[in-house]
Amino acid sequence: MTFDIDMIRKVYNRYPERVAAAREAVGKPLTLAEKILYTHLWEGNATEAFGRGASYVDFAPDRVAMQDATAQMALLQFMQAGKSKVAVPSTAHADHLIQARIGADKDLQDGINKNNEVFNFLSSVCNKYGIGFWKPGAGIIHQVVLENYAFPGGMMIGTDSHTVNAGGLGMVAIGVGGADAVDVMAGMAWELKFPKLIGVKLTGRLNGWTSAKDVILKVAGILTVKGGTGAIVEYFGEGAESLSATGKGTICNMGAEIGATTSTFGYDDSMRRYLAATGRQDVVDAADAVAEHLTGDAEVYANPEHYFDQVIEINLDELTPHLNGPFTPDLATPVAEMKEKAAANDWPTDIEWALIGSCTNSSYEDLTRAASIVADAVEKGIAPKAILGINPGSEQVRYTAERDGLMDTFNKLEGTRIFTNACGPCIGQWAREGAEKQEKNSIVHSFNRNFAKRADGNPNTHAFVTSPEMVAAIAISGRLDFNPVTDTLTNANGEEVKLAEPTGHELPSAGFAVEDNGYQAPAADGSGINVAVAPDSQRLQLLAPFAPWDGQNINGAKLLIKALGKCTTDHISMAGPWLRYRGHLDNISNNCLIGAVNAYTEATNAVTNQLDGSVDEVPNVARAYKAAGVPSIVVGDHNYGEGSSREHAAMEPRHLGVRAVIVKSFARIHETNLKKQGMLGLTFDNEADYDLIQVDDTFNFTDLASFAPGKQLTLEVVHADGSTDSIKLNHTYNAQQIDWFKAGSALNLIKTQNNA
Ligand code: MIC
Ligand code: SF4
């Protein structure tokens, strides 16, 4: 059964007319990204061409997806919007809160016991408001979405940065903060700055040890973690068509790591095969009727440089396997060069753990390719040197893999652990023994992110991102610099043997199967359902609205922290153990900016309280300023807020009395999250002014009363010796976003509009 097939048919029915209108408005052949964007305008048919990277545009996404760690805050906000039901098909997925420790069954039960209150809350809110709920153990949000909901040419938003994974089935799927999801679920338009377009032409065909993961590892190396900001990446060419749908998903997934708004591929046979195999032949039939509109125009792909803002070409015949890391996903090293690079950089080369899983690489195909390496090693009598841990992407993948003997194969490799169908170690939900000793070590995994402390909480763990088959090979060899193409291993008989190249199955030959997929349909009428939040709960807290702007300039503000270098959302609002407070704003605020590096001392979580000169933890100092009625600001470097969609990174400082975040540049989702929560998210007009900010400065905004689109704001910086500097700050607020600031948050504004 296909979920929401009527909605999908409606979207396809309007495609021809809307694409024709878009073609006329734009006046030239269209990329796929443009077709999807222009067919999802809130206003209906296009009447004008939008400026890429310039125009703010209202869209009408077809659906919304949320995962448990962000859904709590999204739904706490939705509950305040005054609606009885969601306006578009929406789902929530319990995947982030389950720890990997012993193995699937035990860990899942522990996860349910520990998070019972939150899962019950999510289940009852979903039931009440018409939201589908995927229970703990059902799988990772993006894998479940790909298997059940994604459809070519559709538009979706999701409260998770890797929502972009659905580009593997030709969607424009975009990660957002919870407040954006609330807009769409409340039946309002969703606003996005019209993206720029990056075209990636893939020629040739993958071979040998190279996999789809290597395409994005290579692209990340080229574009870096900032290079995709504000852009949609569209893949095309014969190489693109040769990739499986889940392989395409892997590539789109990690588009989040280059800051891209999303990534996508044109509708092709790989998508037809995947849709049919996952029980959605009806989507294939509907899509086939408008197939010409579900891919870019031929002229575009023939002369991409005329239609994209940037074009990259990658020849899959020549692409080799990569390892990206440590500490950042864009540091790309070909496997063949790792020996030299690891030695030069003093990266530990002994590997104790190698992990397969995450929304990036947990498909059936991924498991088969990794299993082929494991089977080969077992057959050749090679004992593994490291422990292989596996989190399947969904119950459907796990069940099918078990039926087809893949789990048996993995279990034949000594020490292998199969964890729950959930995010697990990818989000720090990993009880890794000995991590507390903080020893310097390396791990490899098939995930997407490798920021410091992310998987096991140890700042000295060097995590490298690679394909599942390379993870398996490295688990067996126990070495980061193992090159399966050239290196041999010694087997139990003392013989030198080589691992065979990976082989796999794009789709299960006997079809997918599952007994209980873990889905809970919402009540047809949820009006009688009561959602209870205990007033003394440590996990959940009903939200109190943020105060509206008082119409005055912000005066006498103190510096909470000037962050040095990389400051991702993991630095601003750490995950791992803190995930337990994702539904409780006051409690989770105790992790606010504790990972950010203090630019004056290079210490983390130690800043000077300017009221009494003491040095204390960041959240304590923020609370002290708040209690004294002193506003505060945060200063940051480039790409501030890179990484996750978690709006906690914006809500926590807001809750603790921070009024403005002033940086050299922002990551897209975080900038919007700040705006939504009524914060000032501003950038230095002159980047060098970052250096001018002293620890004991006082800050006065002098022209907030004339806050207007396109007009700079002025900040007076009063230094301790009484001297002052006046600096110019840029912003990207449009009129409506300025109204959010004035109302105290976007949600405050929705509430007044609903009451009007
Ligand atoms: C992540 O991969 O960092 C997460 C956890 O999935 C986040 C969402 C979150 O913080 O809950 C994301 O990528 O948006
Ligand atoms: Fe989960 Fe990791 Fe994917 Fe985020 S990146 S959704 S934590 S598997």
Side-chain angles (χ1 to χ4, degrees), residues 95-96 140-142 160 162 358-360 423 426-427 448 454:
D95 56 359
H96 279 61
I140 305 173
I141 173 170
H142 311 302
D160 189 283
H162 294 105
S358 93
C359 53
T360 325
C423 304
C426 178
I427 191 55
N448 39 36
R454 181 164 168 110

Side-chain angles (χ1 to χ4, degrees), residues 102 352-354 384 386-390 410-419:
I102 298 171
E352 275 172 29
W353 271 96
I387 306 174
L388 179 63
I390 302 174
F410 287 127
N411 284 324
K412 278 189 199 136
L413 193 76
E414 201 186 303
T416 297
R417 287 199 220 163
I418 311 286
F419 297 123

